[in-house]
Amino acid sequence: MGHYSRCILLAKKIEGLGFSVKIYCHNEENGRGDAWFFGNEILKYLQDENLKAVVIDSYQAGIEVYRNVVDCGIKLLVLDDIGRLDFPCESVILNGGINTKKLYSNHPQNLVYAGLEYMINDPIFSESGKKRKIKKNIEKILVCFGGSDKENYTQKVLDLLKGFYCEIVVVLGACYPYELHTKARILKNITSENLAEEFMDCDVAIIAGGRMVNEVISSRLPALVFSVAKNQDYQVEFYDAMKVIKKVNLTNLIASLKKLDFVTRYSMSIASSKIKFGNELQESLKKILKE
């Protein structure tokens, strides 16, 4: 879901520059053989004579998919997180992660836009963050572990929070596969606007280390963060070292939560306010697409 949501955000930013945008995604319930990223399937999407650029955001597309685009003489933008492939040297790389330019030392540097300043961010969270006021006590906790939460961290965390007497709101992704046992308020498939409102009303978040980490930081919401996938480790550890979030696990969660006094949460909020997400992205997109 993180890939899809950032493509939606990017599409809005590109449309703001005067371009029309079409998004193609793959339904996991369908067979792989008809997916846009399989073999030469992408070629049928490249026939529009008005097509100016293609953006690919995928962990599944092979190098031949990227090569097909540039071989057709179409500008290619790659959304990447981990330096997954040696992308065609003609491609423009966008990576909004922390200190990620080093991943592309072998790529033409004038075609690399990497770092937090190029993050595809939703400004609604930073706007809500400007209004945040830190309360003396923790009265409301938000819990969210992403689109599917296959390891069911949501239930495991809620079980640990049973003795923690405050309001709890749970945000579930579209693909959450379990029956959740809790008296907490449950929200599912909510909009970014609704999520930003929940952030404003909460005192701490307990979340996975994916895209939402950047959203809680933008919102200046103190957070306890689980790294639930290998590709989350670097980001979580970096932010933990900056003291804008606290990295936790199931063993130390409650002890860490109890240590989040007013001073600590206020300090995390102030540190978060100094991070500028995506502040150079719009001008860079303008340069990339209109040159």
Side-chain angles (χ1 to χ4, degrees):
M1 292 301 293
H3 290 268
Y4 179 72
S5 61
R6 74 177 173 187
C7 283
I8 294 293
L9 281 172
L10 182 62
K12 291 179 180 178
K13 293 179 184 295
I14 293 174
E15 287 169 343
L17 295 173
F19 296 92
S20 61
V21 179
K22 290 183 179 179
I23 296 179
Y24 299 96
C25 57
H26 176 58
N27 187 337
E28 293 292 345
E29 295 179 358
N30 296 333
R32 178 183 168 90
D34 64 350
W36 65 265
F37 53 79
F38 184 76
N40 291 324
E41 283 292 311
I42 197 171
L43 291 174
K44 65 186 179 185
Y45 299 101
L46 307 179
Q47 305 305 313
D48 187 345
E49 64 181 15
N50 294 316
L51 185 62
K52 302 299 182 185
V54 170
V55 180
I56 295 180
D57 184 2
S58 174
Y59 283 170
Q60 301 184 72
I63 191 64
E64 71 281 356
V65 177
Y66 302 91
R67 178 52 62 187
N68 276 331
V69 177
V70 297
D71 285 350
C72 288
I74 301 170
K75 184 170 292 185
L76 171 63
L77 284 72
V78 179
L79 302 189
D80 186 54
D81 301 303
I82 53 177
R84 190 174 70 90
L85 296 171
D86 288 328
F87 300 106
C89 62
E90 302 92 334
S91 59
V92 175
I93 294 176
L94 291 176
N95 185 327
I98 305 160
N99 292 346
T100 48
K101 192 163 186 175
K102 62 186 178 183
L103 296 175
Y104 311 103
S105 58
N106 295 325
H107 199 84
Q109 292 300 288
N110 63 313
L111 298 179
V112 176
Y113 296 81
L116 292 179
E117 62 270 34
Y118 302 109
M119 180 176 290
I120 303 168
N121 69 314
D122 191 333
I124 193 170
F125 294 105
S126 57
E127 288 303 312
S128 67
K130 293 174 183 177
K131 304 171 186 175
R132 170 166 297 283
K133 296 185 184 302
I134 304 296
K135 290 189 293 227
K136 191 70 177 176
N137 299 309
I138 295 176
E139 299 173 2
K140 186 175 180 181
I141 299 173
L142 180 139
V143 176
C144 181
F145 283 90
S148 60
D149 186 17
K150 293 179 181 179
E151 300 298 324
N152 205 7
Y153 276 93
T154 302
Q155 186 66 67
K156 294 172 183 176
V157 165
L158 289 173
D159 290 343
L160 290 172
L161 291 176
K162 285 180 179 178
F164 210 89
Y165 299 104
C166 63
E167 183 181 355
I168 298 174
V169 57
V170 180
V171 178
L172 295 180
C175 303
Y176 183 75
Y178 306 102
E179 180 181 351
L180 195 61
H181 302 284
T182 181
K183 294 181 180 180
R185 184 162 63 97
I186 300 174
L187 303 174
K188 193 168 186 178
N189 298 333
I190 64 175
T191 65
S192 295
E193 290 79 9
N194 293 146
L195 185 58
E197 289 174 4
E198 290 297 329
F199 284 172
M200 276 293 296
D201 199 35
C202 289
D203 303 302
V204 62
I206 301 175
I207 60 174
R211 178 182 180 83
M212 189 175 282
V213 175
N214 302 306
E215 294 171 347
V216 297
I217 292 173
S218 292
S219 299
R220 304 184 192 178
L221 174 61
L224 301 176
V225 181
F226 287 73
S227 182
V228 299
K230 187 173 180 58
N231 66 343
Q232 297 178 0
D233 289 346
Y234 179 75
Q235 172 174 264
V236 173
E237 290 173 5
F238 191 96
Y239 285 142
D240 179 72
M242 292 179 66
K243 300 186 183 305
V244 294
I245 58 99
K246 174 65 178 175
K247 180 181 178 181
V248 296
N249 54 48
L250 291 171
T251 302
N252 65 14
L253 172 64
I254 297 302
S256 298
L257 185 57
K258 290 178 177 178
K259 290 179 181 177
L260 283 184
D261 58 15
F262 172 80
V263 173
T264 303
R265 286 182 288 120
Y266 182 78
S267 176
M268 293 168 77
S269 177
I270 294 300
S272 294
S273 70
K274 297 177 182 178
I275 299 178
K276 307 301 179 186
F277 292 118
N279 58 310
E280 295 186 21
L281 178 61
Q282 197 72 9
E283 280 302 310
S284 298
L285 286 173
K286 184 177 179 181
K287 174 184 176 183
I288 294 164
L289 296 172
K290 292 193 173 183
E291 65 181 9

